Amino acid sequence: MSVMGLFFICVFSVAITYLWREGILEASWLQEGEIAAYRGKDGRRPNAAKTGLVVFLAVALCLFSLLAAAFFMRMGSYDWLSAPLPRILWFNTVALIAASGALHVASTAATTGARERMRNALWAGAVASLAFLSGQLWAWRDMIAGGFYASQNPANAFFFLLTGAHALHLMGGLFALFWTIAQASRKEAENALAKTVELCAIYWHFLLAVWLLVFALLVGWADNLGVVCRRLLS
């Protein structure tokens, strides 16, 4: 069994364990009349939105793991030639760290009822995320201006593929984030709003973790790991 197979089994096991803890696997919704009274393993009603997010993150993690595995396999070929990375990627990394930190502050403020601080933190997270996206577009512009096209070299193609896939996930999250900001401005109930802000924070923490992995691949910090993975995958 390959190392990727073991990894997917690990991700699948974590997802199943979470669903079991939430009581989802009991399929209580199939029993008429018991939905309203249903409680999870710890006595709480399962949070449908949070459960859906966890399942989505598990799928997204598998997608980026496959891309990373393909990166490791392909980088050992004779035609692999890494391009010099745009320096703005360092700024982009700092911007995404700031966005993730701001949403963590917003989540904490939401649970304590500090509504004004929560709104400010949400806006800070949104601005930092837009700065990250703008920086990614700038990095693409630098690559193209330097003559490093996707069709020119597999290393260039992976640069556009990895950064593009991550940017698409961030753009999807921004729709939810701006919707949450709108809800916060309409005096939404604090409990419901706190749950929504928590979901945004979880998603941004995930995006940051994935980006740090992508950044390590592009910079070359994971080259030694790639050698080990190629031996395991081959």
Side-chain angles (χ1 to χ4, degrees), residues 70-148:
F71 182 94
F72 284 138
M73 291 294 292
R74 195 67 175 84
M75 69 182 296
S77 59
Y78 68 93
D79 57 346
W80 184 273
L81 183 60
S82 299
L85 289 181
R87 292 183 179 180
I88 197 170
L89 290 183
W90 292 91
F91 166 81
N92 298 348
T93 303
V94 174
L96 192 56
I97 291 174
S100 179
L103 288 178
H104 181 75
V105 171
S107 180
T108 304
T111 55
T112 57
R115 207 177 183 93
E116 187 65 25
R117 188 172 60 163
M118 176 196 66
R119 277 198 296 265
N120 293 336
L122 286 174
W123 274 113
V127 171
S129 299
L130 290 174
F132 174 84
L133 277 180
S134 301
Q136 295 296 78
L137 288 175
W138 192 272
W140 278 32
R141 190 200 69 86
D142 281 354
M143 289 287 288
I144 294 172
F148 301 107

Side-chain angles (χ1 to χ4, degrees), residues 8-194:
F8 289 140
I9 289 176
C10 180
V11 173
F12 181 75
S13 300
V14 171
I16 291 296
T17 301
Y18 175 81
L19 294 177
W20 175 78
R21 288 186 58 188
E22 292 294 311
I24 303 299
L25 298 182
E26 296 181 2
S28 57
W29 57 84
L30 297 178
Q31 301 176 22
E32 186 177 352
E34 294 187 6
I35 297 176
Y38 175 73
R39 294 292 183 273
K41 295 293 182 183
D42 55 358
R44 297 180 294 105
R45 293 188 65 182
N47 186 327
K50 190 173 184 179
T51 301
L53 178 63
V54 169
V55 172
F56 173 77
L57 294 184
V59 174
L61 181 60
C62 290
L63 168 65
F64 281 101
S65 300
L66 285 173
L67 292 177
F71 182 94
F72 284 138
M73 291 294 292
R74 195 67 175 84
M75 69 182 296
S77 59
Y78 68 93
D79 57 346
W80 184 273
L81 183 60
S82 299
L85 289 181
R87 292 183 179 180
I88 197 170
L89 290 183
W90 292 91
F91 166 81
N92 298 348
T93 303
V94 174
L96 192 56
I97 291 174
S100 179
L103 288 178
H104 181 75
V105 171
S107 180
T108 304
T111 55
T112 57
R115 207 177 183 93
E116 187 65 25
R117 188 172 60 163
M118 176 196 66
R119 277 198 296 265
N120 293 336
L122 286 174
W123 274 113
V127 171
S129 299
L130 290 174
F132 174 84
L133 277 180
S134 301
Q136 295 296 78
L137 288 175
W138 192 272
W140 278 32
R141 190 200 69 86
D142 281 354
M143 289 287 288
I144 294 172
F148 301 107
Y149 302 103
S151 59
Q152 188 180 42
N153 185 282
N156 298 347
F158 268 101
F159 173 86
F160 289 103
L161 176 62
L162 291 172
T163 55
H166 183 269
L168 284 176
H169 281 76
L170 183 57
M171 290 170 64
L174 277 175
F175 284 105
L177 179 56
F178 281 116
W179 181 82
T180 304
I181 293 174
Q183 294 298 103
S185 303
R186 295 172 185 168
K187 301 187 181 304
E188 181 80 5
E190 289 188 358
N191 288 340
L193 189 58

